[in-house]
Amino acid sequence: MLNSSDAQPYPIENEFIEYKEVFNEKCKKEIAAFLNGNQIAYIYLGVSDSTRKVVRIFTEQEKHAIEEQIGRWISSSIYYPSPVGLVHVRSNQELFCIEVTPGKFMPYFLDGKVYVKFNEIKNIFQREGLSFRSKALGFFNSDEKFTNTAFLMSDQSDFSVKVAIFDGVTVDQFKDRREFVGCLPKQVDEILTYIDLNNPLSAHISGQATRKEQRSYPSVAVREAIINAIVHRSYFSQAPIQIEIFDNRLTIMSPGPLPGGMKLKAVLAGQTLPRNPQVVKIMNRLKYIANCKCKLASAGEDSWRKGFSEFQLKKAKQYEPCE
């Protein structure tokens, strides 16, 4: 939780921080979106979303009025399921804010609609110097409703990737494990950073003036394989992508069969069929992938050349959708 003594400008808006100069009806939607989030989030009132600085101090009377209004919203039927106990007004803080805890009974509706946020994907577009235009990215259908692609690119996306680091060559004991959720490009960034920290670097000293350093697993091949897993996975299943790192191998298991009834032999021969073309379009726009081809074969060949002792493609496991 931020406070007035923290350095300004405050951090940019993300999946758990929102700034509002004034309190108004739009705060209803922010609360609804955070109820469907992944962690406790805060709506800071009196803070400019452009400068990220405090621009207004609320009086005690104003704080009390806002607290009463939010209480009426939460106790009414506009939210379903009821978010009572999940939304708190922190009026005793100098930096006035609304605290929202994600509920256990997602999705939470506001007036029959589910709201999501796009701070993460907007920040990535801004980082790349690109304009974020939700309609051009396929976020809306012909009825002006959000598409599945929009949900995958939202802060609330709950399709996860689980990464486990094991001690040795078996699953008997693990060193660490993480689960990554949120918009797909952010997942890629965070997963690659995490794996890089757990990809040992070795050095070979020969007669040359400088030593030769090499990662245990080729970074280029790991990057390509992980991006392919996320971009081309089946999103009809809630089962997570599972990445396991052992002392002698790295495995990636993606839910769902090959797309369109393709055979493994055809994939290895270079035949392509993107399962999620709109996701491919966005990832290509953000330069995560070079084109629409699924490069399973090239990833395998590259890994072989760079020192993998074995690279074997197996048929994807069949997962049942989670209830």
Side-chain angles (χ1 to χ4, degrees):
M1 181 184 297
L2 300 174
N3 58 64
S4 58
S5 63
D6 292 335
Q8 299 182 41
Y10 294 125
I12 60 175
E13 292 181 326
N14 52 39
E15 68 271 26
F16 55 89
I17 293 177
E18 183 75 24
Y19 302 122
K20 293 289 184 186
E21 289 190 31
V22 297
F23 174 78
N24 53 35
E25 290 287 312
K26 291 182 180 180
C27 290
K28 285 182 183 179
K29 297 179 182 179
E30 304 294 344
I31 292 172
F34 282 145
L35 285 169
N36 292 310
N38 303 307
Q39 57 184 310
I40 296 176
Y42 300 90
I43 304 170
Y44 293 98
L45 301 176
V47 180
S48 168
D49 60 354
S50 58
T51 65
R52 309 198 306 276
K53 295 181 179 181
V54 176
V55 294
R56 178 179 177 182
I57 302 297
F58 291 87
T59 66
E60 291 302 319
Q61 185 176 359
E62 288 173 328
K63 290 180 180 180
H64 182 69
I66 292 172
E67 190 170 8
E68 287 190 336
Q69 180 60 66
I70 292 176
R72 287 191 290 269
W73 289 348
I74 300 305
S75 60
S76 69
S77 60
I78 62 173
Y79 290 101
Y80 182 82
S82 172
V84 171
L86 300 175
V87 181
H88 303 279
V89 179
R90 301 304 184 189
S91 57
N92 59 337
Q93 304 291 322
E94 188 173 347
L95 191 57
F96 187 34
C97 70
I98 304 167
E99 181 183 282
V100 183
T101 301
K104 297 180 180 179
F105 306 105
M106 299 181 192
Y108 284 80
F109 293 81
L110 169 62
D111 293 327
K113 298 179 180 179
V114 177
Y115 289 87
V116 294
K117 298 177 70 62
F118 298 103
N119 285 329
E120 296 170 352
I121 190 69
K122 287 179 180 178
N123 291 338
I124 293 173
F125 267 80
Q126 183 179 11
R127 181 190 71 192
E128 298 300 322
L130 301 172
S131 298
F132 176 80
R133 297 185 177 91
S134 55
K135 288 190 176 181
L137 296 173
F139 282 15
F140 296 92
N141 60 20
S142 57
D143 296 325
E144 293 298 311
K145 293 182 178 179
F146 280 133
T147 61
N148 291 334
T149 300
F151 180 71
L152 293 176
M153 297 296 162
S154 74
D155 300 1
Q156 278 72 35
S157 175
D158 58 355
F159 289 93
S160 69
V161 178
K162 293 183 177 181
V163 184
I165 315 296
F166 292 98
D167 187 10
V169 297
T170 68
V171 297
D172 294 339
Q173 185 175 357
F174 66 85
K175 298 177 182 177
D176 194 22
R177 59 184 174 185
R178 300 281 179 87
E179 182 173 12
F180 300 88
V181 294
C183 85
L184 301 190
K186 189 202 76 163
Q187 287 190 30
V188 171
D189 291 343
E190 293 180 348
I191 292 165
L192 290 177
T193 298
Y194 179 64
I195 290 180
D196 187 61
L197 293 173
N198 291 278
N199 190 1
L201 180 67
S202 60
H204 175 68
I205 300 176
S206 62
Q208 301 297 323
T210 59
R211 67 180 182 274
K212 182 180 179 181
E213 296 183 340
Q214 182 176 347
R215 294 285 183 182
S216 295
Y217 304 106
S219 298
V220 173
V222 170
R223 176 187 181 278
E224 188 172 320
I226 289 172
I227 292 176
N228 270 319
I230 290 175
V231 170
H232 299 294
R233 67 163 286 180
S234 171
Y235 287 100
F236 288 109
S237 172
Q238 280 284 349
I241 293 172
Q242 298 181 60
I243 302 173
E244 298 175 341
I245 302 178
F246 301 86
D247 287 355
N248 65 343
R249 67 192 185 279
L250 183 152
T251 66
I252 301 174
M253 294 172 283
S254 183
L258 291 172
M262 290 179 66
K263 302 299 182 181
L264 183 58
K265 184 177 180 181
V267 175
L268 292 175
Q271 184 177 339
T272 64
L273 180 63
R275 190 197 303 272
N276 308 301
Q278 205 62 42
V279 172
V280 168
K281 177 182 175 181
I282 294 171
M283 298 297 278
N284 180 41
R285 174 78 170 142
L286 291 170
K287 302 177 183 177
Y288 283 86
I289 55 178
N291 51 45
C292 296
K293 293 182 179 179
C294 178
K295 299 181 179 177
L296 289 175
S298 66
E301 293 163 0
D302 184 68
S303 301
W304 183 279
R305 288 195 301 269
K306 289 182 179 295
F308 272 136
S309 59
E310 180 182 6
F311 186 91
Q312 183 180 9
L313 293 171
K314 299 180 180 180
K315 290 185 178 180
K317 291 183 178 180
Q318 297 294 320
Y319 292 92
E320 292 295 327
C322 296
E323 296 295 334

